[in-house]
Amino acid sequence: MLINSRFVIVDDKEHHLSGIKKSLDFLRLDCHSKLYTDETVAEWEKLPGTRILFLDQNLTTGATFGANNKVAFTALEDVIQKLICPESGPYGLVLWAEQPEVDELKEHLFGRLTGEDAKHLPVFFTALRKGDYIDTSNGAVLDPEKLRTDILTKVSESPQLRALLTWEADVAAAADAVLRSIIDLVPIEHRASDQFGSELGKVLFKLSQAGAGKNRATETPRESINRVLVPILSDRIAEHDPDSGDTFDWKTSLEDPKAPPTVKVQASVNSAIHLSFARTARSAPIEPTELGAVIEFPFEISDAVLKEKWGVTEAQLRDDIFQVSEAEWEDCELRLVQVGASCDNAQPNPGPLLYLLAVEWPFASPDGTKTETKKRLHKKRDPKSGMEWESPVLKFSADKNAGKVSVFRSLSISVPKPSTKGWKVSYRFREELISELTQEYARYISRPGIVTLPS
């Protein structure tokens, strides 16, 4: 609920910490300071949200750079691994010293932080001389405005990081604007009283109704309010550019890779856009009744069950409809996808829910190609049945190759809501993808036909 500090300062001299903190306070930039000692560093915990890490060059008593710098480098490496939370996104490292030796530090960290540990590395390294901003003898502030200018100049050395930080600033400003617009919905005559909170609650109730439906405001209010606010937030982000204005050209942050993206990159980006996994500890679980929910197959996979519910045998589904070999079929997973109209989701009337039968299939090779030594299942699979809708390239889990989901428009099933209790959800198709699938299904079942005498 509360936002973490974006600036983090680490130093072993308290008056140096105080000096840089006062400078940032003057600039209205919130920061978190850490006084380093050999004894306390072991107890430090990660600081989510760090964007700029000011790191004193000589943290360990008696350690110096130059010929005998291994101890000092190791201390800096330890601090980075203690404080940086890779899940919180990118950061830049400012080496804070009188004679910064950035290249030597980079060489050390690039050699030590490899594999999974490389997630702790900054997007860019730079250096600032302490004496330009504080009196190193007593920590007195010298020139805060110069510090602001130099920080922006240094960040501009990495246009990629500046683009991301600019976007984050835009999002923060847009969120402020959205929150203000919500507050403005409370009548002014109710603000100078204890009714302010209650009136704000009424506004939130109406927003939840708008997002979920008239009779569903209290079911999942966080999700339903998000349905209303997120599109508004998106528009505000496009409108607000409080910090960069005309001074930053986003095009400078782009590097044309020339080569097309790999299957791995395609799958990662598509999954981020189109799939919701609700994996984090605080995420509300995805219910099997939600529009777009992709369900682990809840029935026994047998000819008897498939015949009863869809009128096909497993062999017909595999050979005639999905059109793969028995060996390829072993790597595939049957799924159900909940489809329907958004208005039906918002206004749950009595009656069953509609699910389509689907197959989740990973590529036989990591790059999605077809080779002599691998099975045929690959990204250019082209069945001729006409029943199948294919998703974009997606990544379903870390232990599987990228792949796709094939949904069969002719194989639907209606299930009463109570019967879905206990069904396990793998993930959910987000709105754009499930809307396309639903429209494809609607076109499929409404295609016209006429009676005519053959020639």
Side-chain angles (χ1 to χ4, degrees), residues 88-320:
S88 292
Y91 77 101
L93 190 150
V94 178
L95 196 58
W96 177 244
E98 279 303 289
Q99 294 181 328
E101 299 182 49
V102 177
D103 291 337
E104 292 82 353
L105 175 60
K106 287 165 65 174
E107 183 180 355
H108 173 85
L109 293 179
F110 289 161
R112 293 291 298 272
L113 298 179
T114 58
E116 286 297 306
D117 288 339
K119 293 180 179 180
H120 291 86
L121 287 168
V123 174
F124 86 107
F125 296 78
T126 192
L128 294 175
R129 288 186 66 255
K130 288 186 181 183
D132 292 343
Y133 314 101
I134 63 171
D135 186 329
T136 56
S137 63
N138 58 23
V141 176
L142 298 180
D143 194 344
E145 291 297 342
K146 175 176 171 54
L147 178 62
R148 180 204 296 272
T149 301
D150 289 352
I151 288 174
L152 289 174
T153 300
K154 294 295 185 181
V155 171
S156 294
E157 294 173 4
S158 173
Q160 292 76 27
L161 181 61
R162 181 161 183 181
L164 295 177
L165 297 185
T166 298
W167 182 82
E168 185 177 40
D170 291 348
V171 172
D176 287 346
V178 173
L179 291 176
R180 186 175 63 250
S181 67
I182 295 172
I183 295 298
D184 288 344
L185 296 175
V186 177
I188 196 70
E189 60 268 20
H190 294 306
R191 297 192 188 185
S193 72
D194 290 337
Q195 297 301 310
F196 197 169
S198 177
E199 291 297 321
L200 184 56
K202 295 175 183 178
V203 170
L204 294 175
F205 186 90
K206 290 295 185 182
L207 291 176
S208 187
Q209 278 187 322
K214 184 177 180 180
N215 299 320
R216 301 187 66 182
T218 59
E219 287 186 14
T220 54
R222 183 179 184 274
E223 289 74 17
S224 55
I225 290 174
N226 270 335
R227 290 192 191 101
V228 177
L229 297 187
V230 169
I232 300 173
L233 178 65
S234 179
D235 286 342
R236 296 283 188 173
I237 292 170
E239 294 170 5
H240 285 263
D241 195 9
D243 199 38
S244 59
D246 296 328
T247 65
F248 175 61
D249 182 0
W250 277 67
K251 288 185 288 186
T252 62
S253 68
L254 307 180
E255 295 284 345
D256 188 349
K258 306 301 182 183
T262 64
V263 166
K264 182 178 179 180
V265 170
Q266 292 178 54
S268 297
V269 173
N270 288 340
S271 297
I273 295 171
H274 294 301
L275 299 185
S276 173
F277 290 93
R279 286 171 172 162
T280 61
R282 298 180 181 180
S283 297
I286 302 170
E287 297 296 331
T289 55
E290 287 187 44
L291 183 63
V294 180
I295 317 293
E296 293 183 19
F297 196 69
F299 312 116
E300 177 189 358
I301 301 177
S302 67
D303 284 350
V305 171
L306 293 172
K307 269 279 191 183
E308 176 192 353
K309 298 186 180 299
W310 290 283
V312 298
T313 64
E314 186 176 4
Q316 287 174 320
L317 178 61
R318 180 190 65 227
D319 301 334
D320 302 331

Side-chain angles (χ1 to χ4, degrees), residues 7-20:
F7 287 80
V8 175
I9 314 161
V10 180
D11 208 305
D12 62 339
K13 296 181 177 63
E14 191 161 4
H15 60 285
H16 287 185
L17 273 181
S18 176
I20 184 65

Side-chain angles (χ1 to χ4, degrees), residues 314-356:
E314 186 176 4
Q316 287 174 320
L317 178 61
R318 180 190 65 227
D319 301 334
D320 302 331
I321 300 175
F322 192 53
Q323 299 181 6
V324 293
S325 67
E326 288 189 47
E328 294 169 311
W329 186 247
E330 292 176 2
D331 293 332
C332 300
E333 300 281 357
L334 285 180
R335 298 284 188 249
L336 297 180
V337 182
Q338 206 276 301
V339 297
S342 297
C343 57
D344 288 342
N345 189 55
Q347 301 173 10
N349 296 318
L353 295 172
L354 183 67
Y355 294 85
L356 296 180

